[in-house]
């Protein structure tokens, strides 16, 4: 699989949203052991979901953007800040730039909604990845689903 053999797009229809959930299940529930009832939440219904899919239709990366009131609890209540989350890339597609392409796709969706910054909660092992994309850590380390995280932000 080459880096040029996929597209990143907003998951507009139910089948694409289900593909996002399948990628998340494989990465978070199966691979990382996150309980399924923690992985899927009420935010999924109104989130903007972004999907990476191969030219042959195989989905292998996903992420989501929360904005407006639903993002406020995750971003300190700032109305112009979105919340990037649930970024997942299947093992076979890691190292191909898919994660970075998903982040940029989510940032594009944030800009399209008039947002001026994006926050995220990064697993600490992924800090370098997000720093290379322009995110800056802030605040203390915290646990989410038993995994150490730090809050990060990037101005758009």
């Amino acid at each position: 699989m080459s880096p040029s053999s996929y597209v990143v797009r907003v998951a507009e229809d139910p089948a694409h949203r289900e593909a996002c959930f399948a990628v998340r299940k494989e990465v978070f529930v199966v691979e990382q052991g996150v309980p399924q009832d923690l992985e899927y939440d009420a935010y999924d219904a109104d989130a903007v979901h972004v999907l990476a899919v191969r030219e042959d239709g195989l989905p292998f990366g996903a992420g989501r953007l929360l904005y407006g009131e639903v993002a406020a609890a995750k971003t300190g209540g700032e109305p112009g800040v979105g919340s990037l989350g649930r970024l997942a890339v299947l093992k076979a597609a890691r190292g191909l730039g898919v994660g970075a392409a998903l982040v940029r796709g989510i940032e594009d969706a944030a800009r399209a909604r008039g947002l001026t910054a994006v926050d995220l909660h990064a697993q600490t092992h992924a800090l370098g990845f997000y720093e290379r994309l322009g995110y800056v850590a802030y605040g203390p380390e915290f646990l989410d689903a038993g995994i150490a995280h730090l809050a990060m932000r990037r101005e758009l």
Side-chain angles (χ1 to χ4, degrees):
M1 179 184 325
S2 73
S4 62
S5 65
Y6 67 90
V7 295
V8 172
R9 62 177 173 234
V10 172
E12 302 278 355
D13 64 58
H16 290 150
R17 291 171 67 94
E18 287 303 317
C20 290
F21 298 148
V23 169
R24 287 169 43 185
K25 181 176 183 178
E26 178 64 28
V27 172
F28 296 123
V29 177
V30 174
E31 186 180 328
Q32 295 183 358
V34 173
Q36 192 161 321
D37 61 326
L38 293 179
E39 173 51 29
Y40 306 103
D41 57 29
Y43 297 123
D44 281 325
D46 296 318
V48 176
H49 296 273
V50 176
L51 179 66
V53 61
R54 273 192 341 202
E55 290 173 344
D56 65 3
L58 179 72
F60 58 87
R64 76 176 186 190
L65 171 70
L66 304 179
Y67 62 98
E69 289 183 28
V70 296
K74 296 179 175 287
T75 64
E78 297 179 51
V81 180
S83 177
L84 182 158
R86 303 303 201 264
L87 190 73
V89 176
L90 297 181
K91 275 186 184 181
R94 292 183 192 151
L96 300 176
V98 176
L102 283 164
V103 170
R104 296 305 185 221
I106 291 167
E107 291 171 349
D108 289 345
R111 281 186 202 91
R113 286 155 181 80
L115 302 178
T116 58
V118 173
D119 272 17
L120 58 86
H121 293 162
Q123 293 181 8
T124 55
H125 72 83
L127 290 175
F129 166 76
Y130 290 112
E131 288 170 342
R132 286 188 296 279
L133 294 174
Y135 286 81
V136 177
Y138 67 90
E141 187 175 296
F142 61 94
L143 292 179
D144 186 2
I147 301 169
H149 285 71
L150 277 171
M152 302 185 84
R153 177 173 289 183
R154 180 172 186 260
E155 302 296 325
L156 299 177

